[in-house]
Amino acid sequence: MDWKIISKKIDKAQLTQTDHQPIYLVYVRDDVGNNIEAKEAYGINHRTEVTKEFIHKYESQGIVKIEHEE
C-alpha cells in the first residue's frame, strides 16, 4: 500500500503582538486518494508529534511518504 501523511499550513495563530505560530492540518491519505484521518497541529513541534502519532497508528498500512507543504 502507498499511504501518505501530509501536512499543510492552514492559518497563523497570534500568541502575542509579536509572536505568531503556524497552524497545520496533518492528515493521512490512502493509496486511492481518500483522506482517512486529520488533526490540527499548532507549531512545528506539535506537527512532528501528530505526524509520529499517525505513523504509529497506521504503520501497518504501509506509509511510504511524508509531505510537509509550507
Side-chain angles (χ1 to χ4, degrees):
M1 292 188 219
D2 296 331
W3 285 35
K4 298 178 184 177
I5 297 173
I6 303 166
S7 71
K8 291 184 179 184
K9 191 183 295 187
I10 59 170
D11 204 352
K12 186 179 356 177
Q14 183 175 349
L15 303 176
T16 66
Q17 226 166 0
T18 58
D19 189 15
H20 296 82
Q21 184 178 55
I23 301 172
Y24 298 95
L25 182 64
V26 183
Y27 56 98
V28 179
R29 180 175 287 166
D30 69 12
D31 51 354
V32 293
N34 295 316
N35 295 332
I36 304 303
E37 183 175 357
K39 192 173 191 179
E40 281 189 358
Y42 302 92
I44 298 273
N45 292 336
H46 190 222
R47 180 183 76 175
T48 301
E49 289 176 27
V50 171
T51 300
K52 287 179 180 180
E53 176 187 323
F54 284 162
I55 289 169
H56 179 71
K57 186 172 183 177
Y58 294 102
E59 65 187 338
S60 66
Q61 300 300 325
I63 301 290
V64 296
K65 192 171 189 179
I66 298 171
E67 296 177 5
H68 297 297
E69 300 176 4
E70 293 296 328

